[in-house]
Amino acid sequence: MSLELCEERTPGWCRGKRGACRCRCSQPLALVFLFAVAVAAFHLSLAFPADLSSEEDIPIVKDQRVLEDDGKFNFEIETGNGIRMSQGGSPDGVDGAVIHAGQYSYTAPDGTLVELKFVANENGFQPESALLPVAPEFPHPIPQFVLDQIAFAALQDSKDSDEDED
């Protein structure tokens, strides 16, 4: 039995073989709809791999939390698979803003130990880690072709200014 959108009778679906009802059923519309659903399902399967869950339960090895009446806090959490996080803070910033300091670590899928320490205060979030990219120190050596281009541009500017004076 096929479902086809009925265009001539009351809005609804025709049930039965193609042409069984005396309306012009839009078989192409149903095919387009099925194709769109198949494409959407394919794209969703790429975006969300099937192995999203783990049957393995990871135990919480350590979970210590302290919240004081004056707004100071700290916590330390560690899981059975080596994820560690600790953080502390106090409302010592400008206008009572909370200043945070902490660190976390875990093992990346490639086996690299990821460690990050941070401070968050009036100067923003300031992470420190050996894995974070570092900008080159300045002044760094300027390549000769850049110096040549700067000299050429200066020469052109001086020629242009000489022509403007004439």
Side-chain angles (χ1 to χ4, degrees), residues 28 43 55 61 72 78 83 88 94-95 101 108 114 127-128 132 140 143 148 153 163:
H43 285 289
E55 297 296 322
V61 177
K72 293 179 182 177
E78 183 179 344
I83 298 172
V94 177
D95 295 327
V114 176
E128 293 179 13
L132 292 176
H140 53 79
D148 294 343
E163 291 174 5

Side-chain angles (χ1 to χ4, degrees), residues 7-122:
E7 295 174 349
E8 290 185 2
R9 290 206 248 158
T10 59
W13 293 92
C14 291
R15 295 188 186 279
K17 296 180 182 174
R18 184 174 183 192
C21 63
R22 287 196 271 162
C23 66
R24 283 181 284 165
C25 295
S26 58
Q27 182 76 11
L29 179 64
L31 290 175
V32 168
F33 177 74
L34 288 174
F35 179 74
V37 169
V39 168
F42 174 73
H43 285 289
L44 284 174
S45 71
L46 292 177
F48 300 105
D51 189 20
L52 288 178
S53 64
S54 172
E55 297 296 322
E56 180 184 1
D57 289 333
I58 308 298
I60 303 297
V61 177
K62 185 180 204 178
D63 187 352
Q64 296 176 341
R65 302 166 192 246
V66 176
L67 177 59
E68 298 177 13
D69 292 336
D70 62 355
K72 293 179 182 177
F73 72 93
N74 64 45
F75 65 85
E76 193 169 347
I77 298 171
E78 183 179 344
T79 63
N81 60 355
I83 298 172
R84 294 182 178 143
M85 181 173 188
S86 62
Q87 189 175 136
S90 63
D92 296 335
V94 177
D95 295 327
V98 177
I99 297 174
H100 292 249
Q103 61 186 16
Y104 63 84
S105 65
Y106 62 92
T107 303
D110 66 358
T112 304
L113 179 63
V114 176
E115 295 180 304
L116 184 126
K117 295 180 180 183
F118 65 89
V119 173
N121 57 22
E122 64 275 357

